Amino acid sequence: MSDLLREQLIATALEMNSSGINQGTSGNLSVRHDGGMLITPSGVPYEHLDSGDIVWVNCSDGSWKNKRKPSSEWRIHRDVHLAREDARAILHAHPVHATALACLQREIPAFHYMVAVAGGRNIRCAPYATFGSQALSDNALAALDGRTACLMANHGLLCLAKDLSAALALAVEVETLAQTYLQCLSAGEPVILDDEEMDRVLEKFKTYGQ
Ligand SMILES: [Zn+2]
C-alpha cells in the first residue's frame, strides 16, 4: 500500500508539471498514510524522484526518517491533515495566475459560479507570512475554513481533496478561475454573483457529478 501510494504521489507530482501547475521545485504534495503523511522531499525536481525519496512524516510530532528532508512547507501539510478530516491529499504550488492574484492580496470572489468548486462563496487569500513558518500554516488553515482551496498572499495556492487526483483537478480548476478573473480585471470589473445565487450553486454542487 505504501509503495503504491508513493508511486501515485510521484505520478501526480509529474502531472503537476505537465498541467502547468508547478514549475521547478516550488510545489509540494502529500497524502495521508499510516498515522502520518507521505510528502515530496525538499528541493528534488519531480522528474528525479523515486519512491525512496518520498518522506513519511509523523503527524503527531513532526518527526521523519529519510535520507531526504520533507518539503519546507511540511508544517502546512501536517496541520491541515490534523485539522481537516476531509483532507486526504494536499497540494501546494505557485501556478502563475493564482500566484499573481495572491501577490495582489486579492481573494477570488464569486465572479463565476465555478468558484463554488472550493466549497464556498469565494476563495480566500491568506495573509502573508514567511515560507515554511508556523504563522503561514496558521494563516492558511484559517483561510481554508469551510473551503478546500485558498490563495496564500505573495506566495501561491493551496488545495486539499479526498485523493491525489482530486487535489490536482481542484488546483487546475482554481488556476483556471484565477486566469479568467485576471482577464476580467484587465478589461474592467466583473459582475459578482450574489450570495443567494452562490448558495444555490453550492447546494447543486453537493450532488453534481455523483
Ligand atoms: Zn510555496
Side-chain angles (χ1 to χ4, degrees):
M1 179 60 180
S2 175
D3 281 352
L4 181 62
L5 261 183
R6 283 166 195 266
E7 292 303 327
Q8 286 174 349
L9 193 76
I10 293 169
T12 308
L14 289 169
E15 277 187 77
M16 286 168 67
N17 287 350
S18 60
S19 62
I21 289 299
N22 186 60
Q23 313 80 27
T25 59
S26 56
N28 36 72
L29 182 66
S30 73
V31 63
R32 198 182 285 249
H33 178 66
D34 196 18
M37 61 180 179
L38 294 167
I39 186 166
T40 48
S42 179
V44 183
Y46 293 159
E47 54 272 25
H48 298 150
L49 285 179
D50 70 48
S51 61
D53 294 321
I54 303 300
V55 186
W56 182 81
V57 176
N58 182 328
C59 280
S60 349
D61 62 9
S63 64
W64 69 86
K65 275 190 192 145
N66 197 289
K67 62 186 174 182
R68 302 286 191 191
K69 286 194 294 185
S71 157
S72 58
E73 296 297 1
W74 67 270
R75 277 187 187 80
I76 295 184
H77 291 258
R78 189 263 317 262
D79 292 349
V80 175
H81 278 301
L82 286 176
R84 293 285 297 262
E85 192 54 40
D86 54 339
R88 312 297 300 178
I90 298 168
L91 181 158
H92 165 66
H94 306 169
V96 172
H97 301 92
T99 302
L101 280 178
C103 294
L104 294 165
Q105 301 200 352
R106 287 183 84 134
E107 64 167 32
I108 306 179
F111 80 102
H112 190 290
Y113 79 92
M114 279 301 287
V115 165
V117 74
R121 295 168 179 170
N122 62 353
I123 297 171
R124 301 185 191 100
C125 182
Y128 181 79
T130 309
F131 82 94
S133 67
Q134 186 61 49
L136 179 60
S137 179
D138 295 345
N139 292 350
L141 200 55
L144 282 174
D145 185 34
R147 306 285 187 276
T148 55
C150 71
L151 307 179
M152 294 153 61
N154 308 85
H155 188 149
L157 170 67
L158 183 65
C159 294
L160 65 90
K162 64 179 166 55
D163 58 33
L164 289 162
S165 60
L168 178 64
L170 179 59
V172 169
E173 192 61 61
V174 176
E175 170 63 358
T176 304
L177 286 165
Q179 183 173 13
T180 310
Y181 184 47
L182 281 170
Q183 195 78 41
C184 291
L185 291 177
S186 71
E189 277 292 330
V191 175
I192 305 300
L193 298 171
D194 62 29
D195 288 352
E196 194 180 36
E197 175 55 18
M198 282 306 283
D199 288 348
R200 195 176 298 130
V201 172
L202 286 160
E203 196 55 38
K204 283 187 80 136
F205 266 43
K206 288 180 185 166
T207 51
Y208 174 77
Q210 289 171 21

